C-alpha cells in the first residue's frame, strides 16, 4: 500500500515539476464580442495558443507558444490594444508597418507617418499583434475583393500619407482605413473589424476619401 502511495505521489510531483518548468500557452485574448485570438492575429484553434499539441494544462506544447509581440514585416497590418479607461472603451489602434520602426496610421484628420516605438510605449497599450488574418477574414466574409500582398498594401498607404482623412471614432476610424487600403474601394460599405468596439460601415460612395491611384 505504501509503495502504491509512493508511486502515485512521485507521479503527481513529477507532473507538477514539468508543469512549473515548461512554458504554458494559454496567452490568448478575448474580445468584447467573446472571440478568442492568438498573438499572430488568428482565431484560437483548439484550446491553447501553441504551434502544436499541449498537455491538459496547456503547457509543454510541441513547437512552443504563439507570442503576442512579433517581428513586424514591411506591409504588415499591426494592431495595438488600448486598455479601457474611465473615459474610453478598450479598442485596437490599427496601422501599417512600413519598416525601420515607421508606421502609417490614421489620426484625426489625416493619414500620418508615425512611430512603432510610440505605439508600444503608449501607457494605454496592452499589447500589439499582427492582424493580417483578421482583416482578410472580415473582408472575405463581406464578399469584397482585396489584396493580401504586403508590397501593394504598403505602396497604397504611402501614396496617401499626409492626405486628409474624414476621421470619425465610430464610422471612419483606423480599422476602416485598413479596409480601404486593402480594397481600394471608395464606392462600397467597408467594414471595420469586429474587435473591441462597436463598428459601423462607411456610407456608400465616400467621396471624401483620398484617391489611391493603383
Amino acid at each position: 500500500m505504501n509503495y502504491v502511495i509512493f508511486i502515485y505521489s512521485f507521479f503527481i510531483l513529477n507532473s507538477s515539476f514539468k508543469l512549473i518548468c515548461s512554458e504554458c500557452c494559454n496567452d490568448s485574448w478575448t474580445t468584447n464580442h467573446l472571440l478568442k485570438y492568438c498573438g499572430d492575429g488568428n482565431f484560437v484553434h483548439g484550446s491553447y495558443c501553441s504551434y502544436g499539441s499541449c498537455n491538459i494544462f496547456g503547457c509543454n506544447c510541441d513547437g512552443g507558444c504563439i507570442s503576442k509581440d512579433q517581428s513586424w514585416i514591411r506591409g504588415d497590418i499591426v494592431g495595438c490594444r488600448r486598455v479601457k479607461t474611465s473615459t474610453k472603451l478598450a479598442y485596437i489602434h490599427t496601422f501599417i508597418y512600413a519598416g525601420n520602426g515607421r508606421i502609417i496610421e490614421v489620426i484625426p484628420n489625416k493619414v500620418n507617418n508615425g512611430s512603432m516605438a510610440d505605439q508600444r510605449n503608449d501607457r494605454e497599450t496592452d499589447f500589439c499583434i499582427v492582424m493580417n488574418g483578421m482583416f482578410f477574414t472580415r473582408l472575405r466574409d463581406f464578399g469584397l475583393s482585396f489584396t493580401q500582398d504586403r508590397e501593394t498594401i504598403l505602396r497604397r498607404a504611402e501614396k496617401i500619407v499626409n492626405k486628409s482623412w474624414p476621421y470619425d471614432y465610430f464610422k471612419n476610424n483606423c480599422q476602416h482605413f485598413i479596409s480601404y487600403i486593402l480594397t481600394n474601394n471608395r464606392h462600397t460599405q467597408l467594414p471595420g473589424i469586429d474587435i473591441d468596439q462597436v463598428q459601423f460601415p462607411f456610407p456608400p460612395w465616400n467621396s471624401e476619401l483620398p484617391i489611391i491611384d493603383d
Side-chain angles (χ1 to χ4, degrees):
M1 181 68 177
N2 289 337
Y3 179 76
V4 173
I5 293 174
F6 172 78
I7 294 297
Y8 181 76
S9 299
F10 176 81
F11 174 77
I12 295 296
L13 288 173
N14 187 53
S15 299
S16 300
F17 179 77
K18 287 183 178 179
L19 176 62
I20 293 169
C21 294
S22 61
E23 186 179 15
C24 300
C25 299
N26 54 0
D27 195 20
S28 63
W29 57 283
T30 305
T31 73
N32 289 343
H33 299 274
L34 303 181
L35 301 175
K36 295 190 73 174
Y37 291 93
C38 292
D40 59 353
N42 291 309
F43 288 111
V44 176
H45 294 291
S47 301
Y48 305 106
C49 286
S50 63
Y51 291 105
S53 60
C54 306
N55 63 26
I56 61 172
F57 302 105
C59 304
N60 197 28
C61 303
D62 295 338
C65 300
I66 300 171
S67 61
K68 279 178 177 169
D69 288 326
Q70 307 287 300
S71 297
W72 321 116
I73 301 171
R74 277 169 45 92
D76 267 346
I77 301 160
V78 179
C80 291
R81 187 178 190 273
R82 306 289 199 251
V83 297
K84 183 178 180 180
T85 68
S86 59
T87 58
K88 290 188 296 186
L89 296 173
Y91 68 98
I92 300 282
H93 180 55
T94 55
F95 47 85
I96 295 165
Y97 184 68
N100 297 320
R102 183 171 66 91
I103 67 170
I104 300 174
E105 61 179 342
V106 158
I107 60 173
N109 284 302
K110 65 178 287 192
V111 181
N112 181 61
N113 272 317
S115 164
M116 188 70 215
D118 288 345
Q119 298 300 319
R120 298 184 72 169
N121 294 331
D122 187 293
R123 61 186 177 83
E124 294 180 0
T125 294
D126 186 6
F127 55 81
C128 301
I129 61 171
V130 174
M131 297 182 66
N132 297 40
M134 291 187 193
F135 273 94
F136 298 160
T137 299
R138 181 70 163 159
L139 293 173
R140 195 176 291 115
D141 289 345
F142 270 68
L144 295 168
S145 297
F146 60 93
T147 183
Q148 298 184 42
D149 179 67
R150 287 183 173 87
E151 288 303 315
T152 301
I153 292 169
L154 184 55
R155 184 180 70 249
R156 288 178 178 176
E158 294 280 16
K159 286 184 175 182
I160 58 173
V161 168
N162 295 323
K163 299 288 187 181
S164 62
W165 182 269
Y167 186 88
D168 183 278
Y169 181 78
F170 290 108
K171 298 179 181 179
N172 205 353
N173 59 38
C174 57
Q175 296 179 9
H176 298 102
F177 164 69
I178 299 297
S179 291
Y180 178 49
I181 292 295
L182 294 178
T183 62
N184 194 13
N185 188 334
R186 307 167 79 228
H187 312 308
T188 304
Q189 290 187 332
L190 296 174
I193 187 168
D194 192 14
I195 301 290
D196 277 12
Q197 58 183 347
V198 178
Q199 295 294 332
F200 295 87
F202 281 142
W205 194 276
N206 196 319
S207 59
E208 296 180 272
L209 299 182
I211 296 174
I212 304 173
D213 183 9
D214 261 345

